Amino acid sequence: MTAPQNPLLNDRDVEFLLYEVLDAPRLCALPYFADHARETFDLYLQSCRRLAREVLFPTYKPVDESPPRFEGGGVTVHPALKQVFRPLVELGMLTATRPAAVGGQQLPLVVATLAGAYLMAANLSACGYLGLTTGAAHLIETFGDDALKAAFMTRMYAGEWTGTMALTEPQAGSSLADVQTRAATTEAGHYLVRGSKIFISGGDHDLTENIVHLTLARIEGAPQGIKGVSLFAVPKRRPERGQLVPNDVEVAGVIHKIGWRGLPSLAMSFGERGDCHGYLVGSPHQGIAYMFQMMNEARIMVGVNAAATASAAYQEALGYALVRPQGRRLGAKDPQAPQVPIIEHADVRRMLLRQKAIVEGSLALVATTAMYADLADHAADAEARERAQRLLDLLTPIAKTFPAEKGFESNALAVQVHGGYGYSSEYLPEAWLRDQKLNSIHEGTTGIQGLDLLGRKAVAGGGAALMALGGEIQRTIGRAHRAGVEPAWGERLGAAMTLVGEVTAHLAEAGMRGDVERMLRHSADYMELACTVVVAWQWLAMAAAAREGLAAGASPAGFYEGKLCAAQYWFSTELPRAPALAALCRSGEDSYARMRPEWF
């Protein structure tokens, strides 16, 4: 019994999304992407696939089994990570989407996102170092002065140094208004930083000679709360007289994680000896506003990681189900008949189809979100950029949450398909399940994403983003109708989107009356509603493209029929939950709101 080699992602799915659902090559009409075409997209995709399957994936299990070690005051990572780090840099992962002026390839984010998903599916920890570095360098690119760019950004984009985001503190958690790390001015122009940070991913390692921490801190005398937080570049070693010297940045401890085990999560100490130099990025007291650029990029990256992790497990489960013999078909009467592969059993197909619906819905969601990011930055006119930005803002918490939460369910189903082998460490699904759990916590928990979606994004500008989303959904409904998709699907999606609008208006009224608790009481259920409807939109778009493919005689026909089956599943089993979720949000049901701590 030998399962086929895990492809991590289905190549045909990726091509389908890029070229049949989203028509990514149309972006090449925009000046920023003018040097690209489908040929360059395919070349990058092929390079990522090859590196993922041949180089990264073989390192995943050894890295998971041997996490980084804290010894001698520093962190040592698995030797395999050192072997794959430079190939990832040379592939262009750090700068794929960045401008040519900073050494980038100016690829559309939608292409880089799906190409990067192969790498993340192969070894998400290895990719984590590069994703964090790109985000940190991009902050300096956007807000830093020329001196900071020369000192830090250039080396980070070259892969000589890595970067982190150093936000969270032990006493503050996700509440960045409570940051207490301090920065004192000096006559030399730098700041002396002192404080503690925790859960800093990639905060120390031996992959590169230096690490630059993009750090939130308060300048002495700054206002309290969010308005007093500034952003600093704080290197592990600072440049001084042509060499790197220690910068009073120390590892205080290592967090022992259940997943993402190749990427260390650390407690960090800054300035214990009073000699930690920090360099202000941008203007004072704008740290939170600046950092949201990296946080929002990281949220989408977590969504891609979640989709990729679910995809790797789904492909593993599918391969296993195709070759694992067990039992006979229902109704078979001959006990001597050969056993059948477990995929012949209806309940296994149910589990696989649910995984397919979640995984491919997630990939479509993150790809669509990335497409809006491309348009928000590079569309031809200001109105188109503004509209795309609204949609990007609205979809970001959804694109982070759905792949993580439903991806965990999909990963659990991959374990289930493997039966007793699924919960053994000799097989990979249990490791991917552990990895996936972290994605609903990374970069803002699911609860925080729900508060952001309902409390900010959905009601911003009088609901402008929701109206823009409604327009996009109507366009997809029209495309599906023209393609010959089951008309009831479009009708149900339109009705569900109307429900979302009505619920949002109802809850916003409570907020305008000053009852913010009532408005946000069911923000988690609102997020579930939004995810269900938005992914139904993605499945309708894929169903339309599938019908178009079948009408054009494209092959294999079975690929398109599989898309239509998965779409049918979503519209039959998931979208019908929307009215109940909407009713719950409107009802104000208060069981956990009135539950007192002492009653638990």
Side-chain angles (χ1 to χ4, degrees):
M1 181 185 71
T2 303
Q5 182 177 1
N6 189 330
L8 306 174
L9 274 72
N10 182 317
D11 296 348
R12 187 68 183 87
D13 283 339
V14 171
E15 293 163 0
F16 175 71
L17 285 173
L18 282 176
Y19 304 130
E20 297 177 60
V21 179
L22 294 172
D23 187 20
R26 66 188 166 97
L27 291 171
C28 300
L30 301 174
Y32 187 80
F33 305 118
D35 289 340
H36 288 287
R38 177 167 177 169
E39 290 73 21
T40 58
F41 296 171
D42 285 342
L43 182 63
Y44 187 67
L45 284 164
Q46 289 161 10
S47 298
C48 288
R49 287 167 181 157
R50 189 179 308 113
L51 186 66
R53 291 166 178 163
E54 297 176 8
V55 179
L56 258 69
F57 191 34
T59 69
Y60 171 75
K61 189 171 176 58
V63 167
D64 177 70
E65 291 175 341
S66 300
R69 301 187 312 276
F70 180 36
E71 51 193 12
V75 173
T76 302
V77 302
H78 194 286
L81 289 172
K82 300 173 186 177
Q83 296 167 11
V84 302
F85 182 78
R86 185 48 50 182
L88 284 168
V89 173
E90 292 170 354
L91 178 69
M93 186 180 179
L94 284 167
T95 56
T97 64
R98 303 314 311 138
V102 298
Q105 302 177 46
Q106 296 189 193
L107 268 174
L109 182 62
V110 64
V111 176
T113 292
L114 289 174
Y118 285 95
L119 303 169
M120 295 172 185
N123 190 328
L124 75 176
S125 293
C127 295
Y129 294 96
L130 286 91
L132 288 165
T133 301
T134 296
H138 188 200
L139 277 177
I140 298 173
E141 178 192 337
T142 304
F143 304 112
D145 59 26
D146 289 342
L148 278 184
K149 292 176 185 177
F152 300 121
M153 180 200 75
T154 302
R155 289 178 173 87
M156 294 163 75
Y157 276 151
E160 297 171 14
W161 298 352
T162 61
T164 76
M165 51 197 302
L167 316 183
T168 307
E169 296 181 2
Q171 83 290 341
S174 298
S175 179
L176 298 181
D178 295 315
V179 163
Q180 293 180 3
T181 297
R182 300 292 170 178
T185 57
T186 68
E187 292 182 359
H190 62 265
Y191 291 76
L192 291 177
V193 177
R194 185 179 182 88
S196 299
K197 299 289 182 178
I198 197 166
F199 303 123
I200 308 307
S201 294
D204 195 66
H205 54 75
D206 55 347
L207 292 174
T208 58
E209 66 174 350
N210 206 7
I211 303 164
V212 182
H213 304 284
L214 273 292
T215 305
L216 294 181
R218 294 183 185 280
I219 298 172
E220 290 183 342
Q224 292 299 308
I226 284 177
K227 294 182 180 179
V229 179
S230 298
L231 180 64
F232 298 87
V234 181
K236 176 182 178 179
R237 298 182 177 94
R238 64 178 183 262
E240 200 168 276
R241 292 187 293 276
Q243 60 183 352
L244 293 176
V245 301
N247 193 40
D248 198 7
V249 175
E250 303 293 342
V251 178
V254 175
I255 312 299
H256 301 285
K257 303 185 293 182
I258 62 169
W260 286 69
R261 298 184 73 192
L263 181 68
S265 182
L266 306 177
M268 306 286 296
S269 174
F270 295 79
E272 282 195 348
R273 296 184 296 277
D275 192 34
C276 178
H277 293 204
Y279 307 91
L280 183 66
V281 179
S283 301
H285 317 319
Q286 299 299 311
I288 299 295
Y290 295 161
M291 188 54 80
F292 263 109
Q293 172 181 286
M294 186 173 181
M295 286 192 288
N296 284 327
E297 290 170 349
R299 286 171 178 173
I300 295 172
M301 184 177 73
V302 169
V304 180
N305 266 300
T309 300
S311 176
Y314 163 58
Q315 294 296 337
E316 191 83 0
L318 177 59
Y320 179 83
L322 286 166
V323 300
R324 165 64 171 163
Q326 184 172 302
R328 292 157 188 85
R329 293 186 184 89
L330 287 176
K333 301 189 180 189
D334 181 3
Q336 300 301 315
Q339 290 185 316
V340 298
I342 61 172
I343 200 167
E344 296 289 346
H345 302 309
D347 193 58
V348 173
R349 291 200 300 275
R350 175 191 65 81
M351 291 188 284
L352 290 170
L353 183 55
R354 183 159 184 80
Q355 289 176 76
K356 178 181 176 70
I358 291 170
V359 167
E360 295 172 18
S362 294
L363 288 169
L365 172 58
V366 296
T368 299
T369 304
M371 187 87 159
Y372 286 126
D374 286 323
L375 294 170
D377 285 341
H378 305 296
D381 61 83
E383 183 179 351
R385 290 192 295 273
E386 183 180 350
R387 187 172 185 278
Q389 186 64 54
R390 288 197 193 105
L391 287 161
L392 173 62
D393 290 344
L394 182 70
L395 290 175
T396 293
I398 299 171
K400 191 272 183 188
T401 299
F402 177 84
E405 290 289 352
K406 293 300 181 184
F408 185 73
E409 180 184 344
S410 181
N411 278 89
L413 287 170
V415 171
Q416 190 76 14
V417 168
H418 280 78
Y421 295 107
Y423 54 71
S424 71
S425 59
E426 287 75 21
Y427 284 70
L428 288 172
E430 64 85 23
W432 285 315
L433 182 69
R434 290 187 280 106
D435 289 335
Q436 188 69 278
K437 187 59 241 165
L438 276 65
N439 289 320
S440 60
I441 299 170
H442 280 159
E443 305 310 328
T445 64
T446 297
I448 288 173
Q449 302 303 321
L451 292 171
D452 180 47
L453 176 64
L454 177 55
R456 297 186 185 92
K457 305 299 173 55
V459 296
L466 268 187
M467 287 187 278
L469 177 61
E472 295 294 285
I473 287 175
Q474 285 302 319
R475 272 188 279 279
T476 301
I477 291 171
R479 178 184 179 182
H481 177 74
R482 293 189 296 274
V485 173
E486 172 63 47
W489 295 358
E491 293 166 7
R492 292 174 200 162
L493 176 58
M497 186 60 204
T498 298
L499 269 179
V500 172
E502 292 172 351
V503 168
T504 306
H506 178 81
L507 297 175
E509 286 178 8
M512 288 187 288
R513 292 195 306 269
D515 192 354
V516 178
E517 188 281 328
R518 169 67 184 85
M519 175 187 177
L520 299 177
R521 184 181 301 162
H522 285 279
S523 57
D525 299 306
Y526 182 88
M527 173 62 83
E528 181 82 3
L529 171 64
C531 287
T532 302
V533 174
V534 165
V535 174
W537 165 45
Q538 294 302 300
W539 271 113
L540 189 66
M542 288 187 278
R547 279 289 175 209
E548 291 162 359
L550 287 170
S555 62
F559 171 82
Y560 295 114
E561 293 292 354
K563 292 292 182 189
L564 292 170
C565 261
Q568 175 186 335
Y569 174 86
W570 199 262
F571 278 92
S572 298
T573 66
E574 290 298 301
L575 192 60
R577 298 172 57 236
L581 287 166
L584 182 59
C585 292
R586 290 180 66 110
S587 71
E589 194 280 325
D590 67 347
S591 56
Y592 51 83
R594 70 183 188 86
M595 184 75 176
R596 298 178 185 174
E598 65 269 20
W599 293 353
F600 282 99

